[in-house]
Each structure stands twice: as structure tokens, then as C-alpha cells.
């Protein structure tokens, strides 16, 4: 076997920060974390839609953190990690897209009920502002996961074939 067949196509250690799709890990975690921080900062909500958005954002944040640690530690030497990387980022993109759409629908529903009181902004108006910011960040995070998924697919197709 030649050395090009045995080396992994996935970066390890500091190489994670140097390769294009893996640079997006940090941005995905930052913006994904901001989504759920914006949703819980105005107070607790019991809407089932928000539970789904929170589940998606926290799950993707935690799995991306674990994924980044695996890449940095160099435990991704097998070719199966190329396929797992593609599968994870496609699923994360779909989850975030569904969460973003649900959050946008809920934000739109809040826009019809916001109004100003004589004393100051109502609770709904304040929630509406937080939800607008969270919706924008959720769609941006979806875009980051989508770009990462596209680059992961391209990297998986370029990788030399080796038996698992």
C-alpha cells in the first residue's frame, strides 16, 4: 500500500483549524449556542415548538463539541469517520432547518400580538425581539451546517479508497 492510501483524509490536531470545512466547527458552536441562549434569556416558555428548537440547538452544540474533540485528539483515522462526518452534518442541517422554520413561524405569530403599553414595551414585544434575533441566528447556523455538509461530501468523494 502506498502512503496516500493509508493516510486519513480527515485532519487531526491543529490541522482541524487549518482545513476549510472544519473551521466551521467553531462558528457552528458559537452561533448555535447563541440561538439557545437567546431563547432562554427572556424567561421560561412552555411552547412545544421552543422545546424542539432548544433540543435541536443544544444537541447539535453538544455533538459538534464532541466531534471537534474527536478530530483534535486524532481518533478519526478510519474511513468510516468520513461517512459519519457527512451523515452528521446532513442530519444537523435538516434538524436546524426544521427548528429554524418552526421558530420563524412562531416569531411571525408573535408579531401579530405585540403591542405597546403606556408604561413601556409589553412582554410579547420583548419576546418578539429575542425571537427575531434567534431566528436569524438559527437560519445562519443552518447555512453553516449546510456548507459544512457540502464540503464533507466533497472531501468524502475525494478521499482515496481504503478498506475499513
Amino acid at each position: 500500500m502506498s502512503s496516500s492510501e493509508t493516510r486519513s483524509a480527515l485532519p487531526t490536531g491543529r490541522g482541524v483549524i487549518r482545513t476549510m470545512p472544519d473551521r466551521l466547527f467553531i462558528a457552528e458552536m458559537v452561533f448555535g449556542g447563541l440561538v439557545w441562549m437567546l431563547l432562554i434569556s427572556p424567561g421560561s416558555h412552555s411552547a412545544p415548538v421552543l422545546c424542539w428548537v432548544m433540543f435541536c440547538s443544544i444537541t447539535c452544540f453538544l455533538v459538534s463539541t464532541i466531534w471537534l474533540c474527536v478530530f483534535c485528539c486524532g481518533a478519526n483515522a478510519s474511513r468510516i469517520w468520513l461517512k459519519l462526518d457527512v451523515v452528521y452534518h446532513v442530519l444537523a442541517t435538516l434538524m436546524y432547518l426544521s427548528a429554524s422554520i418552526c421558530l420563524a413561524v412562531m416569531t411571525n405569530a408573535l408579531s401579530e400580538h405585540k403591542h405597546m403599553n403606556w408604561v413601556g414595551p409589553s412582554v410579547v414585544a420583548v419576546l418578539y425581539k429575542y425571537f427575531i434575533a434567534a431566528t436569524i441566528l438559527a437560519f445562519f447556523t443552518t447555512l453553516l451546517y449546510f456548507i459544512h455538509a457540502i464540503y464533507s461530501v466533497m472531501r468524502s468523494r475525494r478521499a482515496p479508497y481504503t478498506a475499513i
Side-chain angles (χ1 to χ4, degrees):
M1 277 190 206
S2 68
S3 63
S4 66
E5 289 179 331
T6 57
R7 72 177 179 89
S8 174
L10 293 172
T12 58
R14 290 185 181 171
V16 173
I17 299 171
R18 294 185 192 129
T19 59
M20 176 43 203
D22 301 319
R23 286 181 185 170
L24 297 174
F25 273 126
I26 305 298
E28 291 164 358
M29 291 188 309
V30 167
F31 290 112
L34 285 173
V35 169
W36 59 269
M37 285 181 207
L38 279 170
L39 290 177
I40 61 172
S41 60
S44 63
H45 313 290
S46 60
V49 172
L50 285 181
C51 294
W52 173 247
V53 175
M54 292 293 290
F55 172 77
C56 290
S57 61
I58 291 174
T59 301
C60 288
F61 178 82
L62 291 175
V63 174
S64 289
T65 304
I66 293 168
W67 210 253
L68 181 62
C69 290
V70 165
F71 275 44
C72 287
C73 293
N76 57 349
S78 176
R79 182 164 168 83
I80 190 76
W81 285 97
L82 280 169
K83 294 177 183 174
L84 287 175
D85 189 44
V86 171
V87 168
Y88 167 64
H89 283 96
V90 168
L91 288 177
T93 301
L94 293 174
M95 281 178 61
Y96 248 105
L97 182 62
S98 69
S100 300
I101 291 170
C102 290
L103 190 57
V105 168
M106 187 166 185
T107 304
N108 188 29
L110 271 177
S111 71
E112 298 173 5
H113 299 292
K114 66 179 171 100
H115 62 281
M116 300 295 282
N117 291 337
W118 287 102
V119 182
S122 69
V123 174
V124 176
V126 172
L127 281 176
Y128 179 67
K129 291 175 185 176
Y130 277 104
F131 283 11
I132 286 176
T135 303
I136 292 169
L137 287 174
F139 276 111
F140 184 70
T141 307
T142 303
L143 178 66
L144 289 174
Y145 275 109
F146 179 72
I147 293 169
H148 200 148
I150 295 298
Y151 274 103
S152 294
V153 168
M154 291 187 326
R155 179 171 52 190
S156 175
R157 291 183 184 255
R158 275 192 320 248
Y161 177 76
T162 56
I164 297 175

